[in-house]
Amino acid sequence: MGPGYVPTFLYYFVVTTFIVVFIVQQGGEELQIANPFQIGMFFGLTAGFLGARFNSSQTISLPVKNKGAFQKQLLQALNSWGYQETSELNGFTVYQRAGLSQFFSGKIFVQLDKNTATIAGRASKMRSLQQQLAPNQKSGT
């Protein structure tokens, strides 16, 4: 449903590295460092790991015993975060936040079958959602 760990890491790494190198090179004498790329790489690696940890796309599959009860619990969790149902896409129900926050929070995709729920979204939201809906189950893909 979205970029995985490696593409997300690379995005944050490259963008942060270039921004830091540019700032160091444009800075005055107080920012003059022998090799601005060393500083840029440090900040790039840090941003890459953090960005990938929290913003990469993750899919989880959860067992569903009672579809109605599960859907009610899922909607409570999503509504508490400000997510509302917006559309259908390839058999998935799409949830997102309203207003400007939709650009920073990402979408959550939900597909409910008879015995399983497949949910995709940002890794940080998926970990939290899994803890709320199936606290004894280990993390998905």
Side-chain angles (χ1 to χ4, degrees):
M1 288 280 139
Y5 190 90
V6 172
T8 305
F9 170 84
L10 289 173
Y11 170 77
Y12 281 95
F13 170 74
V14 169
V15 169
T16 303
T17 300
F18 280 126
I19 289 171
V20 170
V21 168
F22 177 77
I23 289 171
V24 170
Q25 287 181 340
Q26 298 301 315
E29 290 180 22
E30 62 275 356
L31 283 180
Q32 293 303 317
I33 299 171
N35 190 351
F37 283 97
Q38 288 178 330
I39 300 296
M41 296 272 289
F42 170 76
F43 282 101
L45 286 170
T46 303
F49 285 121
L50 290 174
R53 167 99 171 115
F54 294 104
N55 293 329
S56 63
S57 186
Q58 182 179 21
T59 302
I60 58 173
S61 293
L62 301 174
V64 175
K65 293 182 179 128
N66 180 338
K67 190 174 179 178
F70 181 86
Q71 193 167 18
K72 183 178 178 182
Q73 190 179 8
L74 173 66
L75 288 176
Q76 274 183 324
L78 293 177
N79 289 337
S80 71
W81 294 335
Y83 283 84
Q84 300 294 323
E85 182 178 334
T86 59
S87 62
E88 291 277 330
L89 178 67
N90 298 330
F92 283 85
T93 304
V94 181
Y95 295 87
Q96 71 183 65
R97 296 174 73 181
L100 290 176
S101 63
Q102 70 182 327
F103 299 110
F104 302 105
S105 59
K107 297 177 182 177
I108 295 179
F109 301 87
V110 177
Q111 184 178 47
L112 284 175
D113 294 329
K114 184 177 179 181
N115 297 321
T116 60
T118 304
I119 308 169
R122 289 194 175 173
S124 58
K125 290 291 183 200
M126 294 302 98
R127 284 189 292 271
S128 180
L129 195 57
Q130 188 165 20
Q131 287 178 344
Q132 289 181 27
L133 299 176
N136 297 327
Q137 187 181 9
K138 293 198 176 203
S139 185
T141 56

